[in-house]
Amino acid sequence: MDTKDPKILSFLCNWCSYAGADLAGTSRLQYPPNVRVIRVPCSGRVNPQFIVKALRDGADGVWISGCHPGDCHYNSGNYFARRRFYIMKELIEFVGIEPERLTFSWVSASEGKKFQEMAIYVTERVKKVKDKKSPLYKEI
Amino acid sequence: MEKVKEELKRLLQEGEIKGVLGFVPSSSPQKNRVFYTENPDDVSRFTVSLFNTPNLTTYLFRFKDKGKIALFLRPCEQRALNVLISEGKIKREDVFVIGVPCQGAVDPFRLEEQVDAEINSVEVKDDKILVNNAISVYIKEVMPYSCRVCEDVEEDVDIKIDGEDKRPSHEEYSKIEDFDKKTPSEKWAFFKETFERCTRCYACREVCPMCYCEQCFVDSYDPLWVEPGLSLQDIMSYHLIKMYHMAGRCTNCGACERACPENIPLSLLTSMLAHRLKRDFGYISGKNGTQKVFLGEYHYEDKGDFIK
Amino acid sequence: MKKIKLKDFKKALSKWGEVYIRTRDGFLKEGRLSSKKSKKSPKEFLLPREEVLLAIHKKGADTEVLEAHPSKKKVVMGALPCDMKGLELTTKNFLNSPEDPYYKKRVENTLFVSEMCQYPSSSCFCTSFDYGPSSKMGDITYFRLNDDNVLCEPISEKGKKALLWEQYPDAGEKDLEIMEKMLRETAKRLQKLNISYDFSRAREVYASSELKDAVFSCLNCGACTYVCPTCYCFDIRDIERKDFVLRERVWDSCMFFVYSLEASGHNPRKNRSKRAENRFMHKFFYQPLQYKEFGCTGCGRCVDVCPAGYDIRETIRSIQSFMEGKNG
């Protein structure tokens, strides 16, 4: 993999999206290797501060994925997360960080195909703004 | 005002309230000093004006379990009190609210910048401030943006100061909507220009009644959310995360912007939060003391079209 | 004293190093010499807001340690007596044993050109301490006669060597008279506080309710500590980056909760008012006890910058009356 390719940090919830990624793997569906996965128990576990921290420390994009509304293993985690992500997304866009860098999705355990499509979509989106470093990225 | 002072004096003497928290003139006429007293004779010193800079609810945490404290609150500050009540931080029965007719609040540092001279006297004349008996400045120009877009509160005051509520017109967030139309690089350029001045003195944090955490995330070593130092990235990370913590809690009182010695337009960010919550969720923070906190509840039909 | 055109003076100084002049916002490379005190003190020339002390570079299996050697020559032009007094006090702290090598190098590489003050503001109270607007401090001092001319003279050896003093004409009697008169008038316009503290009673003052009441309005932000010419607290942190570990020194403020937080989780100054009280005590009791000089220069910047309208002079007065009250 070329070092110039974008680095995308993704947070996948254990019960749906991570299982979806597994399914994509076992079904031998190809998706870009730019996505680096961190498994979290629930999308509600993702503190939106992670987004800021990731962009600041050098990720070109952040992708957060969880269970569809109504499917949360913990009943309501993704509903709370939805409101939080909304706030962070609005803030990030408002201060002028390219909206392409941030993607949210719902991927269920049975949606291996959707996971593949999303991974391609996220990578293509970040590639669009890749020529510039994220304004929040701090170099030495 | 005189009637209220008499009443406060009586309440203090009869022991119905423990003390009064308010403002007295300071050595700088453009900003009044916060003052607390338990002595009935000191009540006459209190003043209510455009130059009352911090939000007094911030000081309430110092009086936890100390008895009933009376304090002067503008509508936006009453909303802040409501948020703290709904978060269980303050009990309504521990507070004696004195409602203040609001005309907005002046940012002392912006006034200094506009006048560009030492301020020896200020006088309010209609919609202008006369500084040093010579220079007149429009109040609107030296107020934080939040004062132009303030929202109403379901009033729950114990006593009210007579006077006309002359809040500046309730503009419809047009500045925010205009700002949204800019391109990302234009937006970032604006924030770079204004936020670069931040010295990270954290006046905005300390003055904010919502920032009651004992230890702030910026002071955490592990995880190191934000590095110390003055790079724009760290400054913006701090402000972004702080603003995220304000979502649904910030009542847009503008105290952070008035406290900022570097004149950073912080209320643009807080107004943007208020605008989004109102537009997309119909949520106005601190409308009353029983409303749930925005991030502490959810609805099935919440906005979710941004999620693929 | 020599009479020099301001333009020539600046030009001559720029041969020594990069010239930073006093503007309203601080000491900057560009801008006009302001006729007010600057918002920030020039302490950052000796103790920068953030500096990397050393870097550890990982090169495969090897590591290399790179140390900082601040060697850029700078001229600070137009520092007022209150600024210079502040630097004098911080220098006492940093160059007492053990010496701070980074600070010392910066002192060697900086030429301080002070200006005798003609710009008293309502927040100033420098004459309350043992110096005043006409004090000659730094390496070179000058008086701004008018917009074009200055009267100046060297003070230190460094200042004597910095310019070719012989080539400039001596100041005339008349100019010196104007200077004397202007400085006398400035001193008259300054507020003088009576500060005669009995330092042995520090404990009593720290425990007093007078002090607690006086600092009540303080919000515990760090605005005053950052503009103060004598506040010198810093924090050292190791920061990890890819292939690098940086040891950074950044300003800290005694107003913050984490400043006094101990590793055990205990915080001796957990209370907001205690932190504000400590700042006052440090400047007016502990520093005089240690260095025989007040830790305040009376520049009044904290009064200008405070968002809560807190005025340190009120605290000084109320502690003075506390002292007198208990004696009499």
Side-chain angles (χ1 to χ4, degrees):
Chain A
M1 191 183 144
D2 192 350
T3 48
K4 277 183 186 159
D5 273 358
K7 268 186 244 167
I8 297 159
L9 194 66
S10 65
F11 295 92
L12 306 182
C13 101
N14 181 39
W15 305 99
C16 292
S17 297
Y18 195 80
D22 255 359
L23 182 61
T26 48
S27 318
R28 303 203 163 226
L29 297 172
Q30 292 264 336
Y31 60 86
N34 307 62
V35 175
R36 286 116 205 259
V37 178
I38 293 179
R39 180 164 65 155
V40 289
C42 175
S43 49
R45 170 64 184 88
V46 182
N47 187 337
Q49 288 171 215
F50 294 169
I51 301 170
V52 175
K53 174 87 171 148
L55 291 174
R56 191 196 153 288
D57 286 0
D60 296 303
V62 179
W63 171 28
I64 299 171
S65 188
C67 307
H68 284 277
D71 284 356
C72 181
H73 186 76
Y74 309 100
N75 290 337
S76 56
N78 54 0
Y79 287 120
F80 286 113
R82 186 164 64 182
R83 283 198 165 189
R84 290 180 205 154
F85 296 154
Y86 172 77
I87 298 292
M88 204 36 142
K89 177 186 130 327
E90 291 297 325
L91 277 168
I92 293 267
E93 283 175 23
F94 193 75
V95 299
I97 297 164
E98 299 85 353
E100 287 85 1
R101 295 188 187 276
L102 202 53
T103 314
F104 302 99
S105 69
W106 304 134
V107 173
S108 83
S110 63
E111 292 176 324
K113 183 78 184 134
K114 186 177 177 187
F115 183 84
Q116 180 202 25
E117 285 163 12
M118 277 311 300
I120 295 167
Y121 170 77
V122 170
T123 314
E124 288 307 312
R125 232 159 95 91
V126 174
K127 270 185 184 162
K128 261 192 241 164
V129 288
K130 172 61 184 134
D131 51 325
K132 284 180 291 192
K133 266 281 165 200
S134 145
L136 211 56
Y137 173 54
K138 186 180 176 184
E139 288 171 282
I140 20 172
Chain B
M1 185 71 188
E2 289 314 309
K3 240 166 60 192
V4 171
K5 279 182 180 171
E6 283 301 310
E7 179 69 7
L8 285 174
K9 211 168 161 179
R10 185 186 67 79
L11 288 167
L12 269 177
Q13 275 160 349
E14 289 172 7
E16 281 189 40
I17 52 174
K18 180 89 200 320
V20 186
L21 189 56
F23 289 90
V24 294
S26 83
S27 53
S28 325
Q30 73 274 30
K31 51 189 182 195
N32 290 334
R33 182 164 69 91
V34 180
F35 180 67
Y36 171 75
T37 184
E38 295 177 3
N39 181 358
D41 298 333
D42 280 338
V43 172
S44 57
R45 291 171 60 191
F46 285 113
T47 170
V48 167
S49 79
L50 285 165
F51 306 102
N52 294 356
T53 307
N55 183 339
L56 284 178
T57 46
T58 313
Y59 288 81
L60 270 181
F61 294 103
R62 305 183 185 193
F63 300 102
K64 220 159 187 194
D65 307 320
K66 291 253 170 77
K68 198 167 189 161
I69 308 293
L71 73 172
F72 296 83
L73 296 180
R74 302 186 181 103
C76 52
E77 294 164 350
Q78 291 167 24
R79 284 169 59 207
L81 180 68
N82 284 339
V83 173
L84 295 176
I85 290 168
S86 63
E87 289 181 352
K89 284 287 159 189
I90 283 167
K91 291 195 199 92
R92 179 66 183 87
E93 57 268 29
D94 287 346
V95 187
F96 185 88
V97 179
I98 307 158
V100 172
C102 184
Q103 302 181 47
V106 167
D107 180 342
F109 300 106
R110 186 151 301 158
L111 183 65
E112 271 168 42
E113 194 181 75
Q114 289 251 334
V115 173
D116 196 28
E118 197 184 323
I119 298 173
N120 295 318
S121 74
V122 288
E123 201 181 327
V124 180
K125 280 188 173 166
D126 299 324
D127 59 343
K128 283 182 193 159
I129 301 169
L130 188 65
V131 180
N132 299 347
N133 285 323
I135 315 157
S136 78
V137 179
Y138 279 103
I139 296 177
K140 225 174 155 176
E141 281 171 16
V142 289
M143 265 181 339
Y145 175 63
S146 58
C147 280
R148 295 202 236 155
V149 290
C150 82
E151 302 285 352
D152 288 325
V153 59
E154 287 170 21
E155 207 159 66
D156 174 23
V157 294
D158 295 302
I159 192 169
K160 211 175 161 188
I161 296 173
D162 289 334
E164 202 190 334
D165 198 50
K166 281 191 286 188
R167 268 184 283 170
S169 62
H170 296 231
E171 277 177 30
E172 284 302 324
Y173 296 103
S174 52
K175 199 171 161 186
I176 302 287
E177 279 154 10
D178 289 344
F179 196 84
D180 283 334
K181 288 177 195 140
K182 289 186 181 180
T183 65
S185 51
E186 283 170 355
K187 288 177 188 170
W188 185 259
F190 171 82
F191 281 99
K192 181 172 156 49
E193 192 196 319
T194 48
F195 280 67
E196 223 168 27
R197 300 196 291 260
C198 177
T199 61
R200 291 181 67 178
C201 69
Y202 303 130
C204 49
R205 174 184 81 185
E206 302 298 345
V207 80
C208 179
M210 299 303 145
C211 281
Y212 51 63
C213 292
E214 195 167 68
Q215 191 173 347
C216 181
F217 71 94
V218 271
D219 294 332
S220 146
Y221 283 77
D222 190 14
L224 188 67
W225 293 109
V226 183
E227 280 174 17
L230 289 187
S231 75
L232 182 66
Q233 284 75 21
D234 285 320
I235 292 170
M236 284 314 288
S237 297
Y238 160 64
H239 286 289
L240 275 173
I241 298 178
K242 178 178 182 284
M243 283 304 156
Y244 164 67
H245 291 173
M246 291 300 125
R249 310 169 62 232
C250 172
T251 60
N252 220 357
C253 70
C256 47
E257 182 166 331
R258 296 196 296 271
C260 181
E262 298 293 328
N263 280 331
I264 296 172
L266 287 160
S267 71
L268 194 67
L269 281 171
T270 57
S271 305
M272 169 270 191
L273 285 175
H275 169 244
R276 297 296 198 270
L277 294 191
K278 196 180 177 192
R279 185 189 69 185
D280 294 336
F281 295 86
Y283 189 95
I284 293 169
S285 53
K287 223 164 38 183
N288 52 49
T290 51
Q291 183 174 248
K292 272 200 165 177
V293 184
F294 177 74
L295 290 177
E297 62 164 356
Y298 63 89
H299 296 302
Y300 295 123
E301 61 282 0
D302 273 348
K303 188 178 170 66
D305 52 5
F306 65 97
I307 303 179
K308 285 268 167 186
Chain C
M1 283 199 120
K2 304 280 187 181
K3 186 173 179 178
I4 309 180
K5 280 216 155 61
L6 184 61
K7 229 170 31 191
D8 298 339
F9 187 45
K10 226 158 60 182
K11 213 169 166 185
L13 287 172
S14 67
K15 288 196 182 112
W16 199 89
E18 205 165 8
V19 182
Y20 291 77
I21 58 170
R22 191 189 72 246
T23 67
R24 181 71 186 120
D25 290 329
F27 289 77
L28 304 175
K29 266 188 267 186
E30 282 152 30
R32 277 175 59 117
L33 191 63
S34 118
S35 50
K36 278 174 193 160
K37 67 184 168 198
S38 59
K39 231 161 135 182
K40 291 170 189 157
S41 81
K43 67 175 168 181
E44 55 193 304
F45 286 90
L46 300 181
L47 182 70
R49 179 68 178 78
E50 60 174 322
E51 68 178 320
V52 176
L53 301 181
L54 58 91
I56 302 164
H57 188 194
K58 271 185 275 178
K59 281 179 175 168
D62 289 338
T63 52
E64 188 191 358
V65 178
L66 310 159
E67 211 184 330
H69 295 286
S71 61
K72 208 168 167 195
K73 291 214 163 192
K74 289 176 182 174
V75 179
V76 176
M77 184 176 168
L80 298 176
C82 49
D83 300 329
M84 293 314 303
K85 187 76 185 169
L87 291 171
E88 217 172 79
L89 288 163
T90 50
T91 304
K92 268 188 188 174
N93 178 62
F94 282 96
L95 298 190
N96 245 347
S97 68
E99 256 178 14
D100 182 313
Y102 310 101
Y103 191 93
K104 197 178 174 199
K105 268 181 208 138
R106 287 209 162 80
V107 171
E108 284 162 7
N109 289 325
T110 314
L111 185 75
F112 285 101
V113 182
S114 76
E115 174 171 348
M116 288 181 238
C117 183
Q118 307 174 60
Y119 325 108
S121 77
S122 61
S123 56
C124 293
F125 56 109
C126 60
T127 43
S128 314
F129 304 96
D130 59 352
Y131 78 108
S134 55
S135 297
K136 294 173 180 175
M137 293 182 192
D139 299 310
I140 299 173
T141 189
Y142 71 90
F143 174 81
R144 209 159 142 199
L145 199 60
N146 46 43
D147 281 347
D148 297 325
N149 293 296
V150 294
L151 304 179
C152 61
E153 71 181 352
I155 295 166
S156 68
E157 275 304 309
K158 200 155 93 183
K160 275 177 196 149
K161 284 184 201 146
L163 297 187
L164 295 167
W165 291 98
E166 305 81 48
Q167 63 174 340
Y168 301 112
D170 281 326
E173 286 280 304
K174 216 172 170 188
D175 293 334
L176 288 174
E177 256 170 49
I178 294 173
M179 179 177 105
E180 293 293 320
K181 193 174 153 240
M182 292 298 287
L183 289 173
R184 260 202 314 274
E185 267 172 30
T186 308
K188 255 189 245 163
R189 279 161 61 198
L190 280 159
Q191 190 179 12
K192 192 169 176 192
L193 300 178
N194 170 23
I195 313 174
S196 47
Y197 291 170
D198 175 1
F199 303 121
S200 63
R201 288 168 66 194
R203 271 168 192 280
E204 204 184 313
V205 174
Y206 189 49
S208 70
S209 63
E210 277 84 351
L211 183 59
K212 198 178 166 199
D213 291 345
V215 300
F216 174 80
S217 59
C218 173
L219 284 160
N220 296 95
C221 72
C224 55
T225 55
Y226 287 175
V227 296
C228 177
T230 67
C231 274
Y232 50 69
C233 287
F234 58 82
D235 188 13
I236 291 181
R237 292 196 188 186
D238 289 341
I239 288 167
E240 273 183 71
R241 297 277 172 73
K242 200 185 165 204
D243 301 335
F244 275 104
V245 173
L246 305 176
R247 178 156 293 178
E248 266 190 6
R249 168 150 79 179
V250 289
W251 286 1
D252 201 353
S253 166
C254 56
M255 290 290 150
F256 299 154
F257 177 82
V258 282
Y259 176 84
S260 51
L261 182 65
E262 293 167 10
S264 65
H266 172 67
N267 195 339
R269 288 197 287 273
K270 197 175 169 184
N271 213 317
R272 279 169 185 273
S273 69
K274 276 288 167 232
R275 278 176 256 152
E277 285 167 32
N278 177 67
R279 182 166 187 267
F280 177 82
M281 290 302 288
H282 184 243
K283 299 223 177 291
F284 288 92
F285 286 88
Y286 310 147
Q287 238 169 339
L289 281 170
Q290 194 179 355
Y291 297 125
K292 312 276 173 277
E293 227 171 333
F294 282 108
C296 175
T297 68
C299 70
R301 285 190 176 90
C302 53
V303 180
D304 295 333
V305 86
C306 183
Y310 170 69
D311 188 335
I312 198 161
R313 289 171 294 185
E314 285 168 32
T315 313
I316 295 172
R317 280 193 208 104
S318 78
I319 296 305
Q320 182 65 32
S321 57
F322 172 80
M323 287 277 169
E324 285 162 6
K326 286 278 165 78
N327 283 338

